[in-house]
Amino acid sequence: IGTEMPEQRSLSLWWGRLGLAIAFFSFIDLTAELLRLEDWKDFQKFGIFVAIVNTCIFLPLWLLWLACTLRNVMPTTNDDDVSRDPIWSPGVPETSSAMPSLPMPPPQSFPDQNSAVP
């Protein structure tokens, strides 16, 4: 995000910075959880506070922000172009003269193994 030019950015820098803050608070939360073994009362309060702020405020805010800006990230197609777009095609390959199709072999029939009695 930060390496793109401002006019080419589809996601804002603040969205990326919020993601980095969430990662930092997650690391702080992990550290507080480990330090609870050393001093239970102090790090218990700190760990619970960081976990609540991170998971109940920052992470939902980051996800909502992503949901609101995701439509700007989707690829666009040229609607004036009459040729088929390979990205948004239905998935069935078109036959063209450049790539001839191979003939299909006839279906083989196999004898039913259940009907044969030894």
Side-chain angles (χ1 to χ4, degrees):
I1 296 172
T3 59
E4 295 176 343
M5 299 300 289
E7 58 272 358
Q8 295 175 340
R9 250 182 230 136
S10 51
L11 297 169
S12 72
L13 278 177
W14 287 107
W15 177 79
R17 289 174 183 155
L18 182 61
L20 286 174
I22 291 170
F24 177 72
F25 283 127
S26 296
F27 180 73
I28 296 296
D29 184 31
L30 174 70
T31 306
E33 292 294 327
L34 291 175
L35 289 174
R36 284 168 92 180
L37 298 173
E38 192 65 33
D39 188 8
W40 176 260
K41 287 185 180 181
D42 294 336
F43 290 109
Q44 177 189 13
K45 294 174 187 174
F46 182 70
I48 290 174
F49 173 74
V50 170
I52 288 174
V53 167
N54 203 17
T55 58
C56 294
I57 298 172
F58 287 151
L59 188 60
L61 180 66
W62 185 83
L63 288 172
L64 286 173
W65 197 343
L66 175 65
C68 291
T69 58
L70 195 58
R71 63 184 168 90
N72 298 334
V73 181
M74 295 296 292
T76 57
T77 58
N78 187 1
D79 292 335
D80 298 333
D81 190 9
V82 292
S83 65
R84 293 181 59 95
D85 187 7
I87 295 174
W88 298 105
S89 66
V92 179
E94 293 182 23
T95 58
S96 65
S97 61
M99 191 169 87
S101 62
L102 298 174
M104 294 291 291
Q108 295 179 350
S109 62
F110 297 104
D112 188 15
Q113 294 178 354
N114 294 334
S115 64
V117 178

